[in-house]
Amino acid sequence: MTSKQRVVVIGGGMAGARLVQQLGRAADAPGRSGHAVTVIGEERHPPYNRVLLAEVLAGQYTPDVIALPAPGPDVRRLSGVRAVRVDRDERRVVCDDGGVVAYDALVLATGSNPVLPPVRGLFDEGGPGVADAGLPEGVHPFRTLDDCAALAAAAGPGIRAVVIGGGLLGVSAARALAARGAQTVLAHQGEHLMERHLDATASDLLRAHLAGLGVEVHTECRVRGLGTGRDGRDGHRTVRSVTLADGYALDTDLVVLACGVRPRTGLAHAAGLTVARGVVVDDELRTDDPHVFAIGDCAEHRGTVYGLAGPAQEQADALAAVLLGRDTATPRAAPSPTAPPEPAPAGGPYTGTRALTRLTLAGPGPLDLAAFGETVPRPDDDVVHLADATRGAYRKVVVRGDRLVGGILLGDLGTVGALARTWEGDEPLPSAPLLHLLTNDGGL
């Protein structure tokens, strides 16, 4: 590159921050003039590690500990500014403060919004709005540092809290609130906790661990509505109770919505880009506009929206390589959300991520868990289990032919490194008995 290219990144989260960091490193290389980078971010905070929000809520970390490396001085950062329109013809972004930012390459890193469940009493008569509009006082999503700060200010000894949703986010929020001394109930509609990642046996161990922290867990439990009252001082609605499907009402001071996330695609859709579940991109993270890319939670690649930090960072690294090594003005065929994936083009940098989910639960007898790949076996798969209920340890791997296709580990994670490397590399397994996969060194 001989001249600076104007790169505009919409979104100041982990994916956007990683991309800016990689572009900044390349600018320091001999012979490169770098990019003129502008980041448009709605949050006023500097970029931070969203994965560690539960640790901040639990009081283990302060917000500055989870801050990501600051961008270089050449990066223009517009904080507290929302992009409201993308003008693809003029190649510019219109912001809510009236500003207009021109681009040569535009990167959508808009992330995702919390899913707000269809619960009576959640909204005023005006109906659902944005993620934090119209909610009663005491009801919070758990997605941003501001959400975390609001929950931390409200939670404490004697406070009654209900967490709606028993996935990874809900489990993290429940144990963090319990660590602050709140009387915490976790209500989950599914059959067992973290059902996307864990089987029933592993979930039972997780449930027992949460109970040891003081969390009351209810599964197969649908929340029907919220009871609210008007605050006499300012007339705001304030949550008073949570009503379950069987009519039982839980008195509460605090409700956390942890019902999953949905890719944030409004800007892309309004701009006429192809959107399925997420913004559809090809193996260069390019949309059907050759000047517009998407990464992170908002991006859909080969039919998959990952919604995890690991894939977001890999996509950012891959896109940095594209922006550094290719002409972004070269048109490409529009990606299709329904057609089968085509082979990666020559030099295509991103073909997907084999993502591993990992969570550390603090408290009495800290518990680590990791899950990866296909944890539900097919009829012809081989499955190896090791369980020790007294130690709260559980290990399971699924083997298909000579390949490791998935696994769940709770307790001592001494084997997770070797197992994850074998799975991520799609390597043939050694001829040793399958039980050796679950020894301390993974048998590899």
Side-chain angles (χ1 to χ4, degrees):
M1 299 182 66
T2 57
S3 61
K4 288 192 175 183
Q5 189 178 49
R6 298 170 299 177
V7 177
V8 175
V9 181
I10 301 179
M14 294 179 68
R18 176 72 169 223
L19 173 64
V20 171
Q21 183 183 33
Q22 296 296 76
L23 293 178
R25 287 176 178 172
D28 296 333
R32 290 198 183 275
S33 58
H35 296 74
V37 179
T38 301
V39 179
I40 304 172
E42 290 186 27
E43 294 189 66
R44 297 189 179 276
H45 307 284
Y48 57 88
N49 187 341
R50 200 180 304 275
V51 175
L52 297 177
L53 281 177
E55 315 307 320
V56 175
L57 178 56
Q60 295 179 349
Y61 296 152
T62 56
D64 59 291
V65 172
I66 70 170
L68 297 174
D74 294 335
V75 175
R76 178 188 178 203
R77 180 175 173 83
L78 305 178
S79 299
V81 175
R82 183 167 62 92
V84 295
R85 184 166 63 89
V86 174
D87 185 338
R88 292 167 51 199
D89 293 332
E90 298 294 330
R91 291 189 213 164
R92 62 180 191 168
V93 179
V94 180
C95 301
D96 63 349
D97 64 354
V100 176
V101 184
Y103 66 84
D104 298 307
L106 175 65
V107 181
L108 302 176
T110 49
S112 54
N113 283 329
V115 172
L116 302 182
V119 171
R120 288 186 300 187
L122 187 59
F123 296 101
D124 267 324
E125 293 180 359
V130 297
D132 58 352
L135 299 179
E137 290 189 6
V139 178
H140 303 270
F142 184 39
R143 184 66 180 160
T144 69
L145 195 55
D146 285 339
D147 296 334
C148 188
L151 286 168
I159 293 295
R160 300 163 299 181
V162 176
V163 178
I164 303 176
L168 179 64
L169 189 63
V171 168
S172 299
R175 62 97 176 174
L177 291 170
R180 284 192 171 268
Q183 300 171 16
T184 306
V185 175
L186 176 57
H188 182 51
Q189 186 170 336
E191 292 184 3
H192 60 262
L193 298 175
M194 289 186 61
E195 53 203 358
R196 286 185 56 193
H197 306 288
L198 305 181
D199 60 15
T201 302
S203 179
D204 286 344
L205 291 172
L206 173 59
R207 181 171 185 160
H209 177 82
L210 291 173
L213 300 178
V215 178
E216 182 180 332
V217 178
H218 296 271
T219 53
E220 298 184 87
C221 172
R222 185 173 63 85
V223 172
R224 186 173 69 186
L226 302 181
T228 61
R230 294 287 177 180
D231 191 308
R233 294 167 299 174
D234 51 23
H236 289 168
R237 290 192 310 140
T238 302
V239 67
R240 298 280 189 258
S241 63
V242 172
T243 303
L244 306 181
D246 61 5
Y248 184 75
L250 297 167
D251 292 336
T252 190
D253 307 299
L254 193 62
V255 172
V256 179
L257 305 175
C259 305
V261 295
R262 181 176 293 116
R264 195 173 178 185
T265 59
L267 269 178
H269 188 272
L273 299 171
T274 300
V275 174
R277 288 181 56 226
V279 184
V280 178
V281 296
D282 62 13
D283 287 349
E284 291 187 331
L285 290 313
R286 196 188 304 264
T287 68
D288 40 6
D289 183 321
H291 303 280
V292 183
F293 304 80
I295 56 175
D297 288 7
C298 71
E300 178 174 335
H301 175 261
R302 297 191 181 187
T304 298
V305 178
Y306 289 98
L308 296 169
Q313 292 185 328
E314 288 191 16
Q315 290 173 1
D317 291 348
L319 180 53
V322 171
L323 294 177
L324 290 164
R326 292 178 181 270
D327 180 4
T328 58
T330 303
R332 295 185 55 82
S336 168
T338 55
E342 298 180 358
Y350 184 74
T351 57
T353 298
R354 296 170 73 84
L356 181 145
T357 299
R358 187 163 183 172
L359 178 66
T360 297
L361 299 173
L367 180 70
D368 288 331
L369 67 86
F372 56 91
E374 299 178 44
T375 58
V376 178
R378 297 178 185 175
D380 294 334
D381 290 342
D382 292 309
V383 182
V384 185
H385 292 92
L386 283 180
D388 185 342
T390 60
R391 298 173 58 191
Y394 176 74
R395 299 178 182 180
K396 167 187 173 180
V397 293
V398 180
V399 177
R400 185 170 302 149
D402 65 348
R403 294 294 195 274
L404 177 64
V405 297
I408 300 171
L409 300 98
L410 272 81
D412 179 11
L413 298 189
T415 64
V416 70
L419 289 172
R421 286 191 297 272
T422 302
W423 170 69
E424 289 172 348
D426 197 23
E427 302 169 4
L429 295 171
S431 57
L434 294 180
L435 189 62
H436 285 221
L437 290 172
L438 300 180
T439 60
N440 286 334
D441 62 358
L444 304 172

